[in-house]
Amino acid sequence: MYRTHTCGELRLANAGQEVTLSGWVQRVRDKGALIWIDLRDRYGITQLFLQDGVSDPKLIEQARSFGREYVLQAKGTVVERESKNPNMPTGEIEIKVSEFNLLNASKVPPFTIEDESDGGDDLRMKYRYLDLRRNPVRRNLELRHNMAILVRNYLSNLNFLEIETPFLIKSTPEGARDFVVPSRMNPGEFYALPQSPQQYKQLLMVAGFDRYFQIVRCFRDEDLRADRQPEFTQIDCEMSFVEQEDVLNTFEGLAKHLFKEIKGIEFDKFPRMTWHDAMKYYGSDKPDIRFGMKFVELNDVAKGKGFGLFDGAELVVGINAEGCAEYTRKQLDQLTEFVKRPQVGAGGMVYIKYNADGTFKSSVDKFYTADDLKKFADKFGAKPGDLMLILCGPAMKTRKQLNELRLEMGNQLGLRNPQKFAPLWVIDFPLLEWDDETQRYYAMHHPFTAPKPEDEYLLDDPSKWGEIRANAYDIVMNGSEVGGGSIRIHDRVLQNKMFHTLGFTDEQAQEQFGFLMGAFEYGAPPHAGLAFGFDRLCSIFAGADSIRDFIAFPKNNSGRDVMSGSPAPLAKEQLEELEIKLDLKDQKA
Amino acid sequence: MYRTHTCGELRLANAGQEVTLSGWVQRVRDKGALIWIDLRDRYGITQLFLQDGVSDPKLIEQARSFGREYVLQAKGTVVERESKNPNMPTGEIEIKVSEFNLLNASKVPPFTIEDESDGGDDLRMKYRYLDLRRNPVRRNLELRHNMAILVRNYLSNLNFLEIETPFLIKSTPEGARDFVVPSRMNPGEFYALPQSPQQYKQLLMVAGFDRYFQIVRCFRDEDLRADRQPEFTQIDCEMSFVEQEDVLNTFEGLAKHLFKEIKGIEFDKFPRMTWHDAMKYYGSDKPDIRFGMKFVELNDVAKGKGFGLFDGAELVVGINAEGCAEYTRKQLDQLTEFVKRPQVGAGGMVYIKYNADGTFKSSVDKFYTADDLKKFADKFGAKPGDLMLILCGPAMKTRKQLNELRLEMGNQLGLRNPQKFAPLWVIDFPLLEWDDETQRYYAMHHPFTAPKPEDEYLLDDPSKWGEIRANAYDIVMNGSEVGGGSIRIHDRVLQNKMFHTLGFTDEQAQEQFGFLMGAFEYGAPPHAGLAFGFDRLCSIFAGADSIRDFIAFPKNNSGRDVMSGSPAPLAKEQLEELEIKLDLKDQKA
């Protein structure tokens, strides 16, 4: 037997017991007459103790040979510590060692296995198995495990069945790019890896499964932006015989359950906001409502005073940063630079300081009198001491720029506390989204999303397509989209109309979605669903920004696993068996 | 709201309530004055009722227009039935319909949605979404869901963490063939889909996770035999600081938990058998011990009596079929034909009938006296009325043939009741397996499996390699291997020795397993694991032979999903983006 206890469980009550522990050497403190070894495993750290003149000299010699991360088995007696450590659960005891058994040596690790490691990002990824020994990373994966178990039991208790759908499926050109898998048994043909089990979960509804879920890996061959992974995990859900209200309540229930169990926070009802309002008041379809600073539209007070930029703009819109009237020239310049960065893209920023003494100071004093500026302040509901920040330009573009500024101000003012949680439903998304490049509409959610019944007639008028609202919804937390879904079209006539709207010929629709459309002719029930991005959900619950540390073995921005060296070239024989060959552009050039 | 109740929940206590149900039309019985509709959903069937002259004539007209598998919403009053059906949970009531709402029509399904369908296999697979509406198939997936939940909660309570490992990994040529995925971002390079998370779970042990599990999809590009799928699901597990006994007890505990919760069966300790004994007494490494008929070796009584076939054979071995002395000539001929089939490959079969009157009748009466045959009977422990069946030839080959005959006799005698469960551990597997074709040894389990410490010295003597036993174990149920695993090598020196034994050069070992071997230098703990084949486990718990009906959307023997038409050719642009092209042999020939 390698151990009688873990390194996290011994307490004063165990004093006097003979125990065996196994774990890694966190550190050896050699004070000459006294030697302490911190032995670590997943469950905690226990202090081992040797004393010159008391302990067997051979043990002392052994102890002095142990380096960091050596794997030991230690036997000994639990004794009360002379100087207790109240910060450790095992801090009241230590082990008087009677026997060591070196289970494995270790090279000196390339970085320290501490909460705050000295390893850079690249090094930590290359030696991910060592990085994973660090408490913060391990805790992330423990959180992920706990959340998955809670999700499964919660949904299972609501009669959801977890049903595994295939990973080797048919490629569908719509949407993001598929990863594909050549079929050796069917030369010249390929499987695709699923971007989501969308079609299969809808088939399961046709099959009468009523309530389906799956925590499932999905794949997207996209050029990776920061914090995107080519493989990611969804909590994928679908329900039959439901309306939007049923879906929202069900998954709000799930989210509340997680908040309660994981964070100890009880929520009443999550607020809801239409997509239209989210864009109007926050310039984002995923507003961070941990803080206010709602957009205020200013056209009526801003225009007609001779300030050309405002006069010519479609929209003048701003936010009020409370208590920021003391911002220095330098701070204001930095904000201007911030909005002028290419990632934000504004032409400039106007500020109005509402000084503590009731006077105003603005970057547009030339055009606006104090009375004019007071009217701005009134629109904002600003008080003396506040700072108003204003952008202008084409409406949608300006709102998105102001969203960036608002989030930046939220950061600067410490209003985005990662341990505060603000969930929100964004509803009534547009059904269709115009793409300038290809000059066609795309489904904003996906081609099976149902329009709101009251907007359905607009499908007959192409000039109104941009106005059609969908029965589609996102769940947003702290400014991140953590899930989204929609009511599905279960009627073939409406679905065909939708395909035509998206510019598919009958043949294209048939080729890509034929088997799903065929299934719908045999009694498809009304159904709807939602999927959570599980990696993101975990990171938000941990109050972290990046999803990468919630994935045991993530890939870098080139889709590479630097630890295993994947992807890698294939052996010639493997390519031959698959009846494909390389066709590299670089070699042809 | 689409429904107030499901189709499975109304009882006599609900009589008088106004309810709304939604579901599929199972059948319409139109008796002229009376019309009944069976409305079905996942939860059950509820009878709807209309009466000419009482119900609204428009309702009656509607009801007559409904075909099988139409999707309806029906409102009405729960009433007590005149003639109750005790075989249905809802059999005491019916719904007096006040309103119908046709949610979707259905084409006539290509086969009936009944427990015993009239659809052939191909048709059922093509319309899998209809096949899944059938109770037996749905129950299989419900069982699968329940088992997965039980497994997860059981292991989680034992401190196992479910950790997701990557699907896009590095290809390793050892073992079965990988499915591969071209990397668009890294042209000329490929990911592989995991055959199992073997290396990652070992890395997680190096990372100190101590107890890992995952219910995870795995992929093998093999020529598909019957009942193999290119993608399949494992319950994959790994533990640190454990010996074989710990692993066996842990997963025996899991299996017992499943038997208790799912089947209501409580097991004491599972029996254990060495691989050597399994081969000697059952001719199989996965003996079906629901019945006896153990092999009896007969060389001492069979040889030296002038029967050349026995005299020249390495092994004469047989089974005793109790109470089968009355087998007819025809039955015996059929058994002989059975063992002579190419799939079994025996040259012939000898029988000895121990007649009820104490006399013997055998196919070798020419060579053996009644006294001789009595000696056979004594070896078998046979009684009058029994039938002894005997094969001979090279030892291992003959045992495998006799295994087939034993299983066939088990089938004929009804000894393989699928509702009886006989779990068994097979332990002490050989470490290495000789392959005649490539003239080298292969790891029987995988290259990380540890030899038994007492056999380790044999690695230094190539002539003894075939005798080395591994710390490897399988869990067998009813003659199927449902899981297997091993103690891993955690010592780099021993691992290198193992790689050399398998004929790997240092460079090959480094290239294929370098990152795992590298990890082992930083303090790998002793560790071990096991994986259950989850598809098979589910089928055994359901008493079914095939795994296919425990997979929602299986593939056929050509790896094809006939429902979605996958795999399929890719668009030219997709191939170009991936910088690969087809290289079809057929087109070149």
Side-chain angles (χ1 to χ4, degrees), chain B residues 84-137:
Chain B
K84 300 192 172 58
N85 181 347
N87 299 320
M88 289 173 70
T90 63
E92 294 192 304
I93 57 96
E94 59 194 355
I95 310 295
K96 221 175 98 188
V97 178
S98 60
E99 187 184 334
F100 279 126
N101 181 9
L102 176 62
L103 299 174
N104 223 337
S106 171
K107 295 208 287 196
V108 176
F111 50 84
T112 54
I113 313 295
E114 308 275 358
D115 288 8
E116 297 292 329
S117 172
D118 58 359
D121 224 39
D122 290 349
L123 206 55
R124 294 202 295 114
M125 285 304 136
K126 178 155 186 213
Y127 296 93
R128 181 65 165 173
Y129 45 87
L130 298 179
D131 193 35
L132 288 169
R133 284 187 192 162
R134 298 168 53 235
N135 288 326
V137 188

Side-chain angles (χ1 to χ4, degrees), chain B residues 36-217:
Chain B
W36 290 277
I37 297 174
D38 282 349
L39 195 68
R40 185 197 69 231
D41 66 12
R42 176 183 132 200
Y43 310 95
I45 287 179
T46 299
Q47 184 169 290
L48 312 178
F49 169 75
L50 299 104
Q51 187 170 4
D52 216 357
V54 177
S55 306
D56 183 336
K58 267 197 284 187
L59 282 180
I60 301 220
E61 195 187 334
Q62 264 187 300
R64 290 198 166 120
S65 74
F66 297 150
R68 277 175 183 266
E69 304 305 319
Y70 275 45
V71 189
L72 301 186
Q73 185 186 46
K75 298 184 185 185
T77 314
V78 183
V79 296
E80 184 171 359
R81 276 206 215 178
E82 287 206 3
S83 70
K84 300 192 172 58
N85 181 347
N87 299 320
M88 289 173 70
T90 63
E92 294 192 304
I93 57 96
E94 59 194 355
I95 310 295
K96 221 175 98 188
V97 178
S98 60
E99 187 184 334
F100 279 126
N101 181 9
L102 176 62
L103 299 174
N104 223 337
S106 171
K107 295 208 287 196
V108 176
F111 50 84
T112 54
I113 313 295
E114 308 275 358
D115 288 8
E116 297 292 329
S117 172
D118 58 359
D121 224 39
D122 290 349
L123 206 55
R124 294 202 295 114
M125 285 304 136
K126 178 155 186 213
Y127 296 93
R128 181 65 165 173
Y129 45 87
L130 298 179
D131 193 35
L132 288 169
R133 284 187 192 162
R134 298 168 53 235
N135 288 326
V137 188
R138 192 197 64 244
R139 273 191 223 113
N140 290 344
L141 296 185
E142 286 171 348
L143 171 74
R144 186 178 178 117
H145 165 78
N146 290 335
M147 291 193 43
I149 285 272
L150 286 168
V151 166
R152 287 190 158 104
N153 286 318
Y154 185 88
L155 292 176
S156 186
N157 287 335
L158 290 179
N159 271 324
F160 283 82
L161 295 175
E162 183 159 23
I163 298 174
E164 297 177 51
T165 53
F167 279 85
L168 298 173
I169 69 166
K170 193 178 175 187
S171 185
T172 52
E174 186 72 354
R177 208 182 281 107
D178 285 330
F179 281 105
V180 299
V181 181
S183 167
R184 182 183 54 85
M185 291 181 76
N186 304 280
E189 301 192 331
F190 293 75
Y191 303 99
L193 300 178
Q195 297 181 29
S196 90
Q198 183 64 35
Q199 298 192 41
Y200 287 97
K201 69 178 176 174
Q202 294 195 245
L203 286 173
L204 287 170
M205 294 304 105
V206 175
F209 275 90
D210 205 82
R211 296 183 157 206
Y212 144 93
F213 83 102
Q214 192 182 187
I215 301 187
V216 62
R217 200 72 50 85

Side-chain angles (χ1 to χ4, degrees), chain A residues 1-3 22 24 42-43 69 71 103-108 129 132-133 138 141-142 144-145 152-153 156 159-171 177 179-182 184-186 188-191 200 203 206-211 217 219 221-223 231 233 241-243 490 515 519 521-526 552-553 555 557-561 563-564 566-568 570 574-575 577-581 583-585, chain B residues 1-3 22 24 42-43 69 71 103-108 129 132-133 138 141-142 144-145 152-153 156 159-171 177 179-182 184-186 188-191 200 203 206-211 217 219 221-223 231 233 241-243 490 515 519 521-526 552-553 555 557-561 563-564 566-568 570 574-575 577-581 583-585:
Chain A
M1 193 198 296
Y2 279 104
R3 61 186 175 196
S22 288
W24 285 262
R42 175 182 133 200
Y43 310 95
E69 303 305 319
V71 188
L103 299 173
N104 223 338
S106 171
K107 296 208 288 197
V108 176
Y129 46 87
L132 288 169
R133 284 186 192 164
R138 192 196 65 242
L141 297 185
E142 286 171 347
R144 187 179 177 116
H145 165 78
R152 287 190 158 104
N153 286 319
S156 186
N159 271 323
F160 283 82
L161 295 174
E162 182 159 23
I163 298 175
E164 298 177 50
T165 52
F167 279 86
L168 298 173
I169 69 166
K170 193 177 174 186
S171 186
R177 208 182 281 106
F179 282 106
V180 298
V181 181
R184 184 183 52 85
M185 292 181 75
N186 305 281
E189 301 191 334
F190 294 73
Y191 303 99
Y200 287 97
L203 286 173
V206 175
F209 275 91
D210 204 82
R211 295 182 159 208
R217 200 72 52 84
F219 305 85
D221 185 13
E222 289 176 326
D223 296 321
E231 43 178 320
T233 300
F241 302 118
V242 287
E243 288 157 350
H490 66 277
F515 75 98
E521 299 195 37
Y522 291 95
F553 299 102
K555 293 187 176 58
N557 283 351
S558 317
R560 218 170 247 298
D561 173 1
M563 180 189 67
S564 69
S566 143
L570 282 193
Q574 278 177 289
L575 290 172
E577 266 196 328
L578 294 170
E579 304 191 29
I580 58 173
K581 59 183 178 190
D583 184 29
L584 300 178
K585 288 175 195 150
Chain B
M1 194 198 292
Y2 279 104
R3 61 187 175 195
S22 288
W24 286 262
R42 176 183 132 200
Y43 310 95
E69 304 305 319
V71 189
L103 299 174
N104 223 337
S106 171
K107 295 208 287 196
V108 176
Y129 45 87
L132 288 169
R133 284 187 192 162
R138 192 197 64 244
L141 296 185
E142 286 171 348
R144 186 178 178 117
H145 165 78
R152 287 190 158 104
N153 286 318
S156 186
N159 271 324
F160 283 82
L161 295 175
E162 183 159 23
I163 298 174
E164 297 177 51
T165 53
F167 279 85
L168 298 173
I169 69 166
K170 193 178 175 187
S171 185
R177 208 182 281 107
F179 281 105
V180 299
V181 181
R184 182 183 54 85
M185 291 181 76
N186 304 280
E189 301 192 331
F190 293 75
Y191 303 99
Y200 287 97
L203 286 173
V206 175
F209 275 90
D210 205 82
R211 296 183 157 206
R217 200 72 50 85
F219 305 86
D221 185 12
E222 289 176 327
D223 296 321
E231 44 178 317
T233 301
F241 302 119
V242 287
E243 287 158 351
H490 66 277
F515 74 99
E521 300 196 38
Y522 290 96
F553 299 102
K555 293 188 177 59
N557 284 350
S558 316
R560 219 170 246 299
D561 173 1
M563 180 188 70
S564 69
S566 142
L570 282 193
Q574 278 178 289
L575 290 172
E577 266 196 329
L578 294 169
E579 304 190 30
I580 58 173
K581 60 183 177 191
D583 184 28
L584 300 179
K585 287 175 196 151

Side-chain angles (χ1 to χ4, degrees), chain A residues 412-471:
Chain A
Q412 290 195 10
L413 300 175
L415 301 172
R416 305 183 74 192
N417 173 4
Q419 291 308 325
K420 184 179 165 184
F421 297 94
L424 168 74
W425 286 107
V426 177
I427 57 174
D428 295 354
F429 272 72
L431 183 69
L432 301 163
E433 197 171 26
W434 177 256
D435 181 60
D436 271 334
E437 198 182 320
T438 52
Q439 290 283 306
R440 55 166 268 212
Y441 277 100
Y442 281 83
M444 196 160 192
H445 197 66
H446 56 59
F448 314 110
T449 297
K452 286 186 100 66
E454 59 268 36
D455 288 4
E456 224 175 270
Y457 74 99
L458 295 171
L459 278 170
D460 295 325
D461 178 356
S463 75
K464 303 282 189 188
W465 284 355
E467 294 170 27
I468 306 173
R469 291 168 304 162
N471 263 332

